[in-house]
Amino acid sequence: MTIKEGDLHLWRYTLDEAEYYKEKSQPLLSKDEQQRCSRFVNEAEKIRYTCNHRFVRQVLAKYINQPASEINFNLSDKGKPFLENSDILFNYSYRTTFGLLGISKRREIGIDIEKMKLLHDLKTFADFSFSEKEKEIIFKSSDETFQDTLFTFWTFKEAMIKAIGVGLNADLTKIDLSDYYNTEVNKLGFNNTVYTMKQINAGPGYKAAFALKGTMNSYSEFKLD
């Protein structure tokens, strides 16, 4: 499968437990992934881990013309996985039974999906996570749109920090994404680089977004059959 620089391919995934049992007879995971999976006490967590990692491997195999079981991952100093000796970049996020995998070529990318819920200590969370401009938009929203606005910004923030590779230990209040709420392409003040950010339709009760370095030429969605 081919992808051009500036394009974004989004792969959607719904957990298929059959992949968990298939791993026992047709393993795709590396020894390291198998060891990590074995540490989970809860079988449901083992199923999620196995199925999601098989999915990522099977999709990436289409782009790099390599068997899924032979793909080697490396980690950046911030813990972001990447492919060795490849210009294909990717990012993956999942919640419960849903996953989203973003694929790009030579462009850093971040993906996030969140299940919307009530937060117990909203003020502390907002003060830690959002800039003053972001908080102004969030807390000025109506009761009907508050949760939607809050989690729109949280998925924006998660996607962007994954794209720029800074991790949650960064000062998130310095990464101001308020301009992206109404306009998809902006120059991020944090590193003076242009990014494209867009909401993804993730279904009722969920919010999702991606952040792609530079401007985006085309966007396509796929599902793994």
Side-chain angles (χ1 to χ4, degrees), residues 25-88:
S25 59
Q26 303 174 40
L28 298 183
L29 274 59
S30 67
K31 295 295 184 183
D32 182 58
E33 288 170 322
Q34 292 171 15
Q35 289 174 358
R36 290 183 185 181
C37 185
S38 69
R39 297 187 191 114
F40 290 113
V41 177
N42 189 318
E43 187 177 28
E45 290 295 331
K46 292 183 178 181
I47 291 172
R48 272 195 291 271
Y49 182 93
T50 300
C51 292
N52 281 293
H53 281 72
R54 283 180 64 90
F55 163 68
V56 171
R57 284 179 169 273
Q58 289 176 85
V59 172
L60 289 175
K62 295 177 178 291
Y63 289 87
I64 63 175
N65 297 316
Q66 190 175 347
S69 61
E70 296 179 12
I71 294 175
N72 292 315
F73 296 102
N74 228 324
L75 293 176
S76 70
D77 57 356
K78 299 296 184 182
K80 184 178 181 180
F82 65 91
L83 294 170
E84 294 182 345
N85 305 314
S86 176
D87 59 5
I88 296 297

Side-chain angles (χ1 to χ4, degrees), residues 119-130 135 139 146:
L119 301 178
H120 296 297
D121 193 352
L122 179 58
K123 184 180 185 305
T124 300
F125 174 73
D127 288 343
F128 172 80
S129 305
F130 302 120
K135 286 194 291 184
F139 288 104
F146 179 80

Side-chain angles (χ1 to χ4, degrees), residues 81-96:
F82 65 91
L83 294 170
E84 294 182 345
N85 305 314
S86 176
D87 59 5
I88 296 297
L89 301 181
F90 71 97
N91 197 238
Y92 185 58
S93 180
Y94 68 90
R95 288 292 179 271
T96 60

Side-chain angles (χ1 to χ4, degrees), residues 110-123:
I111 294 278
D112 187 53
I113 180 171
E114 299 288 341
K115 186 174 183 179
M116 292 191 287
K117 59 186 178 182
L118 292 176
L119 301 178
H120 296 297
D121 193 352
L122 179 58
K123 184 180 185 305

